[in-house]
Amino acid sequence: MRIKCWGSRGSFPANGPEFVRYGGDTSCVELESSKGDLVVLDAGTGIRDFGSQFAEAHEKVIHLVCTHAHLDHIVGFPYFSPIYNERATIHIYGCPCANDSLETAIRKLMRGPYFPVDFSALPSEIVFHEVSASQFTIGALKFTPIRLNHPNGGCGYRVEERGASFVFLTDNELEYGKLGGDPGYFEELCAGADLLIHDGEYTNEEYKQYESWGHSKYTDAVKLALAADVKRLGLFHINTRRTDDQMDLIVRDANEIIAKQGANIECVGVGTGFEIDIQSGTQYGMPVATA
């Protein structure tokens, strides 16, 4: 299973010289199974560059698995070039969001006055699949939905193939609400993962102002990684105002916390270009050296 990040910012894209190393695009992560099954998690602004590599999109069936329908996670969909290719097939998976289905949310996004091309005019074949609590498969990949602790709901996912596991939990608040008083829920579903990518938007000080907004302190993500005994932790949903240097400091502190616990867990800041082969453990591109 190969994983590549095309965008990891939260809430709003960031640009400028202080946001180069981790990138400025919002949530989009590519998965490819050992059999060549292609899946993309979320359709934030990073999906535009992901889609640009498929000039011949008809050669592949693309599966888009969404965590939820907040704007920063679907706003890139109208700019995803394969949807304009009549030979492309895109399967879209997502759980219901508030009072709408994911399909309704995307259709609303692609209509006037918000966008000039109506969803009904797209020439590609688009098939929607509603995600429930049940496991589902895409080719060689097995997906287990994980309910997010986030306003309007949503799903994270544990993805498994050939004994390897990857957990994607963006937009998840570990401290607030505790999902009905069950703090072990996330630990159980993350247990032993080769890579856990988790929301780490806030510092401890910032969280005091944003409690209940649906995002976690990076220190809580570290606690989860330790409790679940994962092999690697990737901090995701990087605050839109967080500079590269500030993110380096957060990653360094996270690794110091882990080292003090005597755990053998590598923590990285997940930025655009981060790439890893889960089975071999080989990393490419990101992460950059920490401060």
Side-chain angles (χ1 to χ4, degrees):
M1 188 193 321
R2 182 182 59 84
I3 297 166
K4 182 175 181 178
C5 178
W6 293 87
S8 61
R9 289 286 166 180
S11 304
F12 195 81
N15 63 2
E18 296 176 305
F19 310 100
V20 172
R21 286 186 283 112
Y22 288 92
D25 281 308
T26 63
S27 183
C28 183
V29 174
E30 174 188 356
L31 305 180
E32 187 173 12
S33 77
S34 61
K35 303 294 186 182
D37 309 298
L38 189 64
V39 177
V40 59
L41 295 167
D42 279 344
T45 58
I47 203 171
R48 181 185 63 173
D49 286 341
F50 167 76
S52 67
Q53 65 183 311
F54 297 108
E56 299 298 326
H58 62 283
E59 295 180 359
K60 286 183 178 287
V61 174
I62 300 170
H63 300 268
L64 169 60
V65 178
C66 292
T67 58
H68 62 303
H70 283 165
L71 193 57
D72 52 327
H73 294 259
I74 63 171
V75 71
F77 183 82
Y79 304 92
F80 184 37
S81 57
I83 67 176
Y84 300 99
N85 188 324
E86 64 182 6
R87 295 171 294 182
T89 300
I90 299 100
H91 291 269
I92 303 177
Y93 306 74
C95 60
C97 41
N99 296 322
D100 282 339
S101 66
L102 177 64
E103 178 177 0
T104 299
I106 290 177
R107 285 181 179 274
K108 286 181 177 179
L109 180 65
M110 292 194 68
R111 71 180 188 190
Y114 311 112
F115 198 73
V117 179
D118 193 89
F119 183 90
S120 63
L122 296 177
S124 58
E125 180 182 3
I126 299 178
V127 183
F128 285 91
H129 307 266
E130 186 168 302
V131 171
S132 65
S134 301
Q135 293 180 339
F136 62 95
T137 59
I138 298 175
L141 302 172
K142 181 177 75 173
F143 286 75
T144 300
I146 304 172
R147 66 188 187 278
L148 298 176
N149 195 17
H150 193 64
N152 308 127
C155 286
Y157 301 93
R158 182 182 178 109
V159 189
E160 296 171 292
E161 181 196 18
R162 294 169 52 199
S165 55
F166 163 53
V167 178
F168 185 62
L169 285 174
T170 184
D171 293 56
N172 187 50
E173 188 166 3
L174 288 167
E175 184 166 316
Y176 186 81
K178 300 294 187 185
L179 280 175
D182 183 7
Y185 173 74
F186 294 114
E187 293 175 20
E188 179 181 348
L189 287 164
C190 295
D194 293 284
L195 173 63
L196 165 63
I197 288 183
H198 197 284
D199 185 317
E201 176 159 2
Y202 298 131
T203 64
N204 293 350
E205 188 62 30
E206 290 166 348
Y207 184 74
K208 296 175 183 178
Q209 181 177 353
Y210 299 110
E211 181 177 326
S212 81
W213 282 41
H215 302 286
S216 288
K217 298 175 287 186
Y218 74 87
T219 51
D220 283 341
V222 171
K223 289 177 184 177
L224 174 61
L226 289 165
D229 193 25
V230 305
K231 294 183 176 64
R232 292 179 180 83
L233 169 65
L235 298 176
F236 197 79
H237 206 273
I238 299 173
N239 190 290
T240 188
R241 293 181 175 85
R242 185 88 63 221
T243 67
D244 291 333
D245 290 344
Q246 290 170 341
M247 192 63 199
D248 283 346
L249 292 175
I250 284 174
V251 173
R252 185 175 70 179
D253 185 57
N255 279 299
E256 288 176 355
I257 295 170
I258 292 168
K260 287 178 181 177
Q261 296 298 315
N264 185 25
I265 300 172
E266 178 189 11
C267 179
V268 299
V270 177
T272 300
F274 171 82
E275 187 172 358
I276 184 170
D277 183 288
I278 290 294
Q279 269 84 3
S280 69
T282 304
Q283 293 183 179
Y284 311 90
M286 291 286 293
V288 298
T290 58

